[in-house]
Amino acid sequence: MNVNDLMIFRTVAQYGSMTKAAHALNYVQSNVSARIQHLEKDLQTQLFYRNRSGITLTSVGKTLLDYTNKINILLEEAEKAVKHDSIPNGSISVGAIESTAFVRLPGILAEYHTQYPKVNISLFSDTTEALVSMILQRKIDVAFVGGPVNHPAIVRQPLFTEELVFVAGPLHPPVLSFANLYDTKLFLHKTGCFYRTKLDLWLKEEGIFPSNITSLDTLDNMMNYVKANLGVSIMVKTFAEEYTKSGIVKCYPIHKKDAFVITSFIYHQDSLMTSSLTAFIDNLHKLKDTSQTFNPE
């Protein structure tokens, strides 16, 4: 068993086809098939079920794929380690919940880019739940998430405090309470969003079970429906403020003691601390120390 065979196996598993894997690897199909057969013979087990519609992993194949993915991560880290330089360069991947990506992150990334222009930054936006999963799977280097994250493999540092508010269209009455939400159309972020989870808990506390909820993928979509006076949403105040200034929407305070939530940055405790990642995290620590919006938990 060698690493090259494992990477071919991983590609075949990814595409579910010898032909597609061979195309992706720029190999001839017979070579890919031969390498898989050699690997199965070497391990004395069957890795794939073969049928007319394609191939699927056996239970043993799934186990080997898990280990192969871990090996691939180690290989990538080994390459980074060999290319390590005291001057930040290369690349880092950053994830963020959408409101942070929109309001906070541009300034943070602009300052970092000014200091370290040789570093290429990849940005991903998703829910807190999805970003935590990406950190654990080493798919991204650092992430900005909402609420507490309690996992032994994750390092978490609180950074900002955000206020959650209800947002409604300009024609909505001047008062908005939880009681109003019983028969109001709600436009909320998809499942996995920390803010939506918090609202769900509040509604249960109030004994309110709305039946008219639409799940949307982006804040822009949520805002479009709200400003058209079609319903109510929940967002961080810093995102909604630009719209309230022009009278497009109205913000309503949420009278809950935990309406102020912490945005933190997280990373895997076993992350390879390249010079570029170290510099990024150091910048965040400086921002935390000087931020007037930060409140200790």
Side-chain angles (χ1 to χ4, degrees), residues 1-290:
M1 181 171 62
N2 61 54
V3 171
N4 188 48
D5 285 350
L6 288 175
M7 294 304 108
I8 292 174
F9 160 74
R10 182 171 180 265
T11 305
V12 172
Q14 176 185 354
Y15 286 94
S17 164
M18 297 282 186
T19 302
K20 292 180 180 179
H23 181 74
L25 294 167
N26 199 26
Y27 290 171
V28 295
Q29 181 180 340
S30 59
N31 189 16
V32 172
S33 299
R35 299 316 303 171
I36 294 299
Q37 290 173 5
H38 179 271
L39 185 60
E40 289 181 321
K41 182 178 180 181
D42 191 27
L43 295 174
Q44 297 181 353
T45 189
Q46 182 179 348
L47 299 174
F48 293 100
Y49 294 116
R50 284 120 170 129
N51 51 63
R52 291 183 179 179
S53 60
I55 57 176
T56 56
L57 286 167
T58 64
S59 59
V60 175
K62 292 177 182 178
T63 299
L64 181 62
L65 181 60
D66 287 339
Y67 280 101
T68 303
N69 287 334
K70 293 176 183 178
I71 291 171
N72 187 62
I73 290 171
L74 289 174
L75 289 172
E76 290 178 351
E77 290 189 354
E79 184 177 356
K80 287 183 180 179
V82 170
K83 294 181 178 179
H84 179 71
D85 195 322
S86 59
I87 300 175
N89 61 75
S91 63
I92 58 173
S93 50
V94 179
I97 53 177
E98 193 177 4
S99 57
T100 299
F102 185 89
V103 178
R104 307 283 190 180
L105 211 49
I108 293 173
L109 298 185
E111 181 177 352
Y112 181 80
H113 179 70
T114 299
Q115 293 177 290
Y116 310 108
K118 292 184 178 181
V119 179
N120 179 47
I121 301 176
S122 301
L123 181 61
F124 302 86
S125 179
D126 215 316
T127 64
T128 288
E129 183 178 285
L131 292 170
V132 169
S133 177
M134 292 175 75
I135 287 289
L136 290 173
Q137 296 178 52
R138 316 288 187 88
K139 291 183 177 179
I140 55 177
D141 295 311
V142 63
F144 297 82
V145 299
V149 175
N150 300 306
H151 192 286
I154 287 181
V155 179
R156 170 180 174 257
Q157 295 291 332
L159 193 59
F160 301 113
T161 298
E162 302 281 13
E163 180 183 0
L164 290 177
V165 294
F166 288 128
V167 182
L171 302 182
H172 197 278
V175 177
L176 195 161
S177 66
F178 278 94
N180 302 132
L181 302 182
Y182 180 79
D183 55 359
T184 298
K185 179 76 173 179
L186 294 178
F187 296 98
L188 305 177
H189 214 301
K190 59 185 178 181
T191 302
C193 170
F194 173 69
Y195 304 147
R196 174 170 180 169
T197 300
K198 185 170 280 291
L199 176 60
D200 288 341
L201 291 174
W202 286 337
L203 291 171
K204 288 181 180 179
E205 289 176 357
E206 299 289 333
I208 298 172
F209 301 94
S211 59
N212 203 350
I213 296 177
T214 298
S215 297
L216 299 169
D217 287 335
T218 68
L219 282 171
D220 283 340
N221 285 339
M222 292 161 62
M223 186 61 77
N224 284 337
Y225 284 101
V226 167
K227 68 184 183 183
N229 297 292
L230 295 175
V232 174
S233 187
I234 182 173
M235 303 177 186
V236 295
K237 188 176 181 179
T238 49
F239 176 81
E241 278 178 335
E242 291 300 315
Y243 296 88
T244 58
K245 289 177 182 177
S246 57
I248 295 176
V249 298
K250 294 178 180 178
C251 285
Y252 299 82
I254 298 175
H255 300 294
K256 292 284 186 179
K257 62 180 181 180
D258 53 344
F260 290 84
V261 296
I262 300 294
T263 298
S264 305
F265 68 90
I266 61 174
Y267 56 94
H268 200 289
Q269 66 173 4
D270 295 329
S271 294
L272 177 65
M273 301 305 292
T274 61
S275 56
S276 55
L277 181 56
T278 299
F280 189 81
I281 292 174
D282 286 346
N283 274 17
L284 294 178
H285 280 295
K286 293 175 184 176
L287 179 65
K288 181 190 72 173
D289 293 340
T290 59

